[in-house]
Amino acid sequence: DTEVTQTPKHLVMGMTNKKSLKCEQHMGHRAMYWYKQKAKKPPELMFVYSYEKLSINESVPSRFSPECPNSSLLNLHLHALQPEDSALYLCASSQGLLTGELFFGEGSRLTVL
Amino acid sequence: QKEVEQNSGPLSVPEGAIASLNCTYSDRGSQSFFWYRQYSGKSPELIMFIYSNGDKEDGRFTAQLNKASQYVSLLIRDSQPSDSATYLCAVSMEYGNKLVFGAGTILRVKS
């Protein structure tokens, strides 16, 4: 069983919808990440939170809005997405910032119509 | 030049053979190196990490690092069909302080 839980597992939304992806970890990790992965491509880093503060934003469009309400939770708010944003969105956590020892959740597969 | 390069494969090996997966990286200052396994439709899972030159063994897996050649590899001994997956090499880059993934190598183990 994964110790990083993501919901929902699947999401279909229209381009005018607002939705959110949620991620939770109970390993006491202080860094949490959002990655985007397209088919047959490696994960691409989107955002990194360290101690609940945004540390890295990889020039992600503003239609993606991250939020870290506390050290265990990470959200990704979605608004006015485009069909090309359809992908697997992966949440990960790590003990400290920028260690490569990441624990990934199972991902949320997003389809934008 | 890509920051982390891997042969996309597929690499096909018979069951019981040694699978050798290779990765090169561009940042000479990189210090930490990771191998993730990703089954189709699943999320990546960390299987090995190595920080020092030489070999590191864990069960059937051996990671090898040569910083002078900027080369890291993963050997899988006694390959099993359940090892069939995409193997992602990831390098913690000194500049930008970020983890960069290679494109991954597809491994197929034939029974």
Side-chain angles (χ1 to χ4, degrees):
Chain A
D1 287 344
T2 181
E3 296 185 72
V4 178
T5 304
Q6 290 187 243
T7 56
K9 287 188 171 28
H10 298 276
L11 178 63
V12 179
M13 60 186 290
M15 290 189 285
T16 58
N17 292 158
K18 284 185 181 181
K19 297 286 185 183
S20 296
L21 305 180
K22 298 184 184 301
C23 175
E24 187 170 9
Q25 59 90 10
H26 293 290
M27 293 180 282
H29 288 172
R30 307 308 302 193
M32 296 186 76
Y33 309 74
W34 281 114
Y35 281 86
K36 172 183 176 180
Q37 188 175 29
K38 304 277 270 185
K40 301 189 189 304
K41 298 290 186 183
E44 293 176 46
L45 182 63
M46 299 176 73
F47 303 103
V48 183
Y49 275 83
S50 176
Y51 290 88
E52 301 157 46
K53 293 192 188 318
L54 184 64
S55 295
I56 296 176
N57 176 341
E58 289 285 296
S59 303
V60 178
S62 59
R63 57 185 184 269
F64 295 92
S65 175
E67 177 195 20
C68 189
N70 61 54
S71 60
S72 299
L73 293 174
L74 186 65
N75 298 323
L76 186 63
H77 302 298
L78 315 170
H79 174 55
L81 296 192
Q82 304 297 309
E84 59 265 29
D85 296 321
S86 299
L88 181 68
Y89 288 84
L90 294 161
C91 174
S93 70
S94 64
Q95 187 79 8
L97 181 63
L98 301 170
T99 169
E101 298 175 43
L102 303 180
F103 290 79
F104 283 92
E106 292 185 348
S108 293
R109 186 160 300 281
L110 173 67
T111 303
V112 182
L113 301 176
Chain B
Q1 181 188 6
K2 291 182 182 176
E3 294 173 298
V4 180
E5 294 208 52
Q6 295 181 255
N7 187 323
S8 61
L11 172 66
S12 292
V13 300
E15 184 175 358
I18 295 175
S20 177
L21 304 161
N22 305 314
C23 173
T24 58
Y25 59 94
S26 61
D27 179 15
R28 189 168 286 280
S30 298
Q31 296 294 323
S32 307
F33 307 86
F34 307 86
W35 284 98
Y36 284 82
R37 176 177 63 198
Q38 187 170 24
Y39 292 114
S40 181
K42 301 294 186 182
S43 60
E45 173 192 13
L46 179 65
I47 55 172
M48 288 287 286
F49 56 87
I50 186 166
Y51 301 139
S52 304
N53 273 333
D55 295 0
K56 178 182 178 183
E57 187 174 319
D58 183 1
R60 294 188 296 113
F61 298 100
T62 299
Q64 299 176 316
L65 174 61
N66 184 326
K67 289 186 180 179
S69 299
Q70 294 175 238
Y71 177 92
V72 59
S73 64
L74 179 70
L75 301 178
I76 306 175
R77 288 183 299 283
D78 188 24
S79 295
Q80 301 297 309
S82 58
D83 295 324
S84 298
T86 297
Y87 289 80
L88 297 162
C89 172
V91 178
S92 185
M93 298 285 177
E94 184 179 49
Y95 71 85
N97 243 343
K98 61 179 183 178
L99 186 70
V100 178
F101 284 90
T105 298
I106 298 170
L107 173 66
R108 293 185 182 149
V109 181
K110 299 179 180 177
S111 58

